[in-house]
Amino acid sequence: MQRVGICSLYSFALLSSLASFTPKITRRFSLSTSSMEAANSQSPRPPVAKKVEHAMEMFGDVRVDNYYWLRDDSRSDPDVLSHLKLENSYTESLLSGTKKFEDELFAEIRGRIKEDDISAPVRKGQYYYYQRTLEGKEYVQHCRRLIPNSEIPPSVYDTMPTGPDAPPEHVILDENFKAENHAYYSIGAFKVTTNNKLVAYAEDTKGDEIYTVYVIDIETGAPVGKPLVGITSELEWAGDEALVYITMDEILRPDKVWLHKLGADQSSDTCLYHEKDDMYSLALEASESKKYLFVGSESKITRFVFYLDVSKPEELRVLTPRVVGIDTSVSHRANHFFIRRRSDEFFNSELLACPVDNTSETMVLIPHRESVKIQDIQLFADHLVVYEREVGLPKITTYRLPAVEEPLISLQGGSSVEFIDPIYSIDPLESQFSSSILRFWYSSLKTPPSVYDYDMNTGTSALKKLETVLGGFDASNYVTERKWASASDGTQIPLSIVYRKNLVKLDGSDPLLLYGYGSYERCLTGYPQ
């Protein structure tokens, strides 16, 4: 999947025109403002929704909503539709003078994007999987290509062969073709079986995030069984012949986990768990080893986890119990589950491990630290990767794990990945569990979204994909720095700065665009927003 959209790529292209953007944009803005003022003077008055008293009582309190009539879950009430048409007509008349400017702006944004492109190929068994975008097309193609000599272990220097002598490209699914008869189209999941023979994809054609799942034969495209309807995009294979998925209740809360065996009718699917507490919602993920599936039930401050052995998919067992205020997430490697646990006491999380055959016997691998937050972990056959944040900056630490037959007691000799910018963002990406190659997403204020492979045995990294930004952008023209400002109570506030080095004088006379955000523990250290 592409990590960023049009706007975030466009922001890099904007950097390249900072030297001359002011007169051009100011003139455009003045023209568009004048056009809007002229349109305002001639436009009709905005439509006013009628008031219809509607009383609602809860906990002995009566609340009156005069506009409750505008709720129309069926999208068919003639009064509601009539009012929406009036709103749309008013908007169109108000903005009628800006149409030319809108078209110019859209064309400029589109002109910054390389439309004919492919994602960084991902190795799965004997194939490379990737997505291709085509010039003038809105959607992606899901593709794969055979790997010559796939028995050779992966390397950071691997490249997918192309050209006339390379194995041919196989388009598994073309979203452009699928979307032709729909005003809206989105694929929320695209899951390939471990034997690389089938793919299950979740399709939404209405925009309500209620999906229909289709299973097809990858080679022929032929459908396998009947579609699954009315589900979320939470979907995983349990082996190569069964699917686990999640459905929602009447208020669209993910509340049930189901097991579907290929060829069976959906009406005969087995409900593995029903979360009846409406404070909790369900989530589903596969372990990196593909041997287990994990079902998490989560509220704002609590998350507990069930596990399912894909060789015995009918059994869903409790792994971490429901304890209010305890948040857990789980991974698997060999004989152990690895558990990241957060609470009010251990607010930055600690990392535990427990034997698969005795989940109550936990040991601490990484204790809680007040200055370092554990954000995520990623497991490999021989390595553990820990995504952390320290002094506001993300970091990646890798550990060599003992052999499977040796006891897992503690972690030794963690190694940190080095990055090219003083401020940046990183995210984990899909990697091969059996390899020593870690793949991650990287970006900074002057570095477009990138994909790197990192060899955890040698410390060698290689750039696999750099998003192309058209329009003359050159990262070497820019400088990124990290500074600190003192708040009134002495708290040190980090500042991430980017500027064009041949324009900025750094004497206090330069204009500054300052942006800040402080919620949900979100740190803004990567690409421009």
Short mmCIF file of all heavy atoms in Angstrom, two decimals, residues 120-140:
data_model
loop_
_atom_site.label_atom_id
_atom_site.label_comp_id
_atom_site.label_asym_id
_atom_site.label_seq_id
_atom_site.Cartn_x
_atom_site.Cartn_y
_atom_site.Cartn_z
N ALA A 120 7.65 -0.84 -3.58
CA ALA A 120 8.81 -1.69 -3.33
C ALA A 120 8.34 -3.15 -3.24
O ALA A 120 7.50 -3.48 -2.40
CB ALA A 120 9.48 -1.29 -2.03
N PRO A 121 8.83 -4.03 -4.10
CA PRO A 121 8.37 -5.42 -4.09
C PRO A 121 8.66 -6.12 -2.76
O PRO A 121 9.69 -5.90 -2.14
CB PRO A 121 9.17 -6.07 -5.24
CG PRO A 121 9.55 -4.93 -6.13
CD PRO A 121 9.78 -3.77 -5.20
N VAL A 122 7.71 -6.96 -2.34
CA VAL A 122 7.83 -7.72 -1.10
C VAL A 122 7.99 -9.19 -1.45
O VAL A 122 7.20 -9.75 -2.22
CB VAL A 122 6.58 -7.53 -0.21
CG1 VAL A 122 6.67 -8.39 1.05
CG2 VAL A 122 6.40 -6.07 0.15
N ARG A 123 9.00 -9.85 -0.86
CA ARG A 123 9.21 -11.28 -1.11
C ARG A 123 8.26 -12.11 -0.26
O ARG A 123 8.15 -11.91 0.95
CB ARG A 123 10.65 -11.67 -0.77
CG ARG A 123 11.65 -11.29 -1.83
CD ARG A 123 13.03 -11.84 -1.52
NE ARG A 123 13.09 -13.30 -1.51
CZ ARG A 123 14.19 -14.01 -1.79
NH1 ARG A 123 15.31 -13.39 -2.12
NH2 ARG A 123 14.18 -15.33 -1.73
N LYS A 124 7.56 -13.04 -0.91
CA LYS A 124 6.74 -14.02 -0.22
C LYS A 124 6.95 -15.35 -0.92
O LYS A 124 6.47 -15.54 -2.04
CB LYS A 124 5.25 -13.64 -0.26
CG LYS A 124 4.90 -12.38 0.52
CD LYS A 124 3.41 -12.09 0.44
CE LYS A 124 3.07 -10.80 1.16
NZ LYS A 124 1.61 -10.48 1.07
N GLY A 125 7.69 -16.24 -0.27
CA GLY A 125 7.99 -17.52 -0.91
C GLY A 125 8.78 -17.32 -2.17
O GLY A 125 9.82 -16.65 -2.19
N GLN A 126 8.27 -17.85 -3.29
CA GLN A 126 9.00 -17.77 -4.56
C GLN A 126 8.55 -16.60 -5.44
O GLN A 126 8.87 -16.55 -6.62
CB GLN A 126 8.85 -19.08 -5.35
CG GLN A 126 7.45 -19.37 -5.87
CD GLN A 126 6.60 -20.17 -4.90
OE1 GLN A 126 6.65 -19.96 -3.70
NE2 GLN A 126 5.83 -21.11 -5.46
N TYR A 127 7.84 -15.62 -4.82
CA TYR A 127 7.31 -14.50 -5.61
C TYR A 127 7.68 -13.15 -4.99
O TYR A 127 7.85 -13.02 -3.77
CB TYR A 127 5.78 -14.58 -5.70
CG TYR A 127 5.26 -15.75 -6.49
CD1 TYR A 127 4.87 -16.91 -5.82
CD2 TYR A 127 5.15 -15.71 -7.88
CE1 TYR A 127 4.38 -18.00 -6.53
CE2 TYR A 127 4.66 -16.79 -8.59
CZ TYR A 127 4.28 -17.93 -7.91
OH TYR A 127 3.80 -19.01 -8.61
N TYR A 128 7.77 -12.15 -5.86
CA TYR A 128 7.72 -10.75 -5.46
C TYR A 128 6.28 -10.27 -5.63
O TYR A 128 5.68 -10.48 -6.69
CB TYR A 128 8.62 -9.88 -6.34
CG TYR A 128 10.10 -9.97 -6.07
CD1 TYR A 128 10.97 -10.51 -7.02
CD2 TYR A 128 10.64 -9.49 -4.88
CE1 TYR A 128 12.34 -10.58 -6.81
CE2 TYR A 128 12.01 -9.55 -4.65
CZ TYR A 128 12.85 -10.10 -5.61
OH TYR A 128 14.19 -10.17 -5.38
N TYR A 129 5.74 -9.61 -4.62
CA TYR A 129 4.42 -8.98 -4.70
C TYR A 129 4.60 -7.47 -4.64
O TYR A 129 5.43 -6.96 -3.88
CB TYR A 129 3.52 -9.45 -3.56
CG TYR A 129 3.04 -10.87 -3.70
CD1 TYR A 129 3.83 -11.94 -3.28
CD2 TYR A 129 1.79 -11.15 -4.26
CE1 TYR A 129 3.39 -13.25 -3.42
CE2 TYR A 129 1.34 -12.46 -4.39
CZ TYR A 129 2.15 -13.50 -3.97
OH TYR A 129 1.71 -14.80 -4.10
N TYR A 130 3.80 -6.75 -5.43
CA TYR A 130 3.90 -5.30 -5.46
C TYR A 130 2.64 -4.71 -6.05
O TYR A 130 1.77 -5.42 -6.58
CB TYR A 130 5.13 -4.86 -6.28
CG TYR A 130 5.19 -5.39 -7.68
CD1 TYR A 130 4.72 -4.64 -8.76
CD2 TYR A 130 5.70 -6.66 -7.93
CE1 TYR A 130 4.77 -5.14 -10.06
CE2 TYR A 130 5.75 -7.17 -9.23
CZ TYR A 130 5.29 -6.42 -10.29
OH TYR A 130 5.33 -6.92 -11.56
N GLN A 131 2.53 -3.38 -5.97
CA GLN A 131 1.41 -2.66 -6.56
C GLN A 131 1.93 -1.73 -7.64
O GLN A 131 3.00 -1.11 -7.49
CB GLN A 131 0.67 -1.85 -5.50
CG GLN A 131 -0.06 -2.69 -4.48
CD GLN A 131 -0.81 -1.85 -3.46
OE1 GLN A 131 -0.72 -0.63 -3.46
NE2 GLN A 131 -1.55 -2.50 -2.58
N ARG A 132 1.16 -1.63 -8.71
CA ARG A 132 1.54 -0.75 -9.82
C ARG A 132 0.46 0.31 -10.01
O ARG A 132 -0.74 0.02 -9.95
CB ARG A 132 1.69 -1.57 -11.11
CG ARG A 132 2.03 -0.71 -12.33
CD ARG A 132 2.20 -1.56 -13.58
NE ARG A 132 3.33 -2.45 -13.51
CZ ARG A 132 4.60 -2.09 -13.70
NH1 ARG A 132 4.87 -0.81 -13.97
NH2 ARG A 132 5.58 -2.96 -13.63
N THR A 133 0.90 1.55 -10.21
CA THR A 133 -0.01 2.63 -10.58
C THR A 133 0.27 3.01 -12.02
O THR A 133 1.41 2.98 -12.49
CB THR A 133 0.17 3.86 -9.67
OG1 THR A 133 1.56 4.26 -9.66
CG2 THR A 133 -0.24 3.55 -8.24
N LEU A 134 -0.80 3.39 -12.74
CA LEU A 134 -0.71 3.70 -14.15
C LEU A 134 -1.09 5.15 -14.40
O LEU A 134 -1.96 5.70 -13.73
CB LEU A 134 -1.63 2.79 -14.96
CG LEU A 134 -1.44 1.28 -14.77
CD1 LEU A 134 -2.54 0.52 -15.50
CD2 LEU A 134 -0.06 0.85 -15.26
N GLU A 135 -0.45 5.77 -15.38
CA GLU A 135 -0.73 7.16 -15.70
C GLU A 135 -2.19 7.33 -16.13
O GLU A 135 -2.71 6.58 -16.96
CB GLU A 135 0.19 7.64 -16.82
CG GLU A 135 0.07 9.13 -17.11
CD GLU A 135 1.10 9.63 -18.09
OE1 GLU A 135 1.98 8.83 -18.50
OE2 GLU A 135 1.04 10.83 -18.45
N GLY A 136 -2.85 8.30 -15.50
CA GLY A 136 -4.24 8.58 -15.83
C GLY A 136 -5.25 7.69 -15.14
O GLY A 136 -6.46 7.88 -15.31
N LYS A 137 -4.78 6.72 -14.35
CA LYS A 137 -5.68 5.80 -13.66
C LYS A 137 -5.72 6.14 -12.16
O LYS A 137 -4.72 6.55 -11.59
CB LYS A 137 -5.23 4.35 -13.84
CG LYS A 137 -5.19 3.89 -15.29
CD LYS A 137 -6.59 3.77 -15.88
CE LYS A 137 -6.55 3.18 -17.28
NZ LYS A 137 -7.92 3.05 -17.86
N GLU A 138 -6.89 5.92 -11.55
CA GLU A 138 -7.07 6.28 -10.16
C GLU A 138 -6.69 5.18 -9.18
O GLU A 138 -6.44 5.44 -8.01
CB GLU A 138 -8.53 6.68 -9.90
CG GLU A 138 -8.96 7.94 -10.61
CD GLU A 138 -10.35 8.37 -10.18
OE1 GLU A 138 -10.60 8.47 -8.96
OE2 GLU A 138 -11.20 8.59 -11.05
N TYR A 139 -6.67 3.95 -9.63
CA TYR A 139 -6.51 2.81 -8.73
C TYR A 139 -5.28 2.00 -9.09
O TYR A 139 -4.67 2.18 -10.14
CB TYR A 139 -7.76 1.92 -8.76
CG TYR A 139 -9.02 2.64 -8.33
CD1 TYR A 139 -9.85 3.24 -9.28
CD2 TYR A 139 -9.37 2.75 -6.99
CE1 TYR A 139 -11.01 3.90 -8.90
CE2 TYR A 139 -10.52 3.40 -6.60
CZ TYR A 139 -11.34 3.98 -7.56
OH TYR A 139 -12.47 4.65 -7.17
N VAL A 140 -4.93 1.06 -8.19
CA VAL A 140 -3.71 0.29 -8.37
C VAL A 140 -4.00 -1.07 -8.98
O VAL A 140 -5.13 -1.57 -8.96
CB VAL A 140 -2.98 0.08 -7.02
CG1 VAL A 140 -2.67 1.42 -6.37
CG2 VAL A 140 -3.79 -0.80 -6.07
#
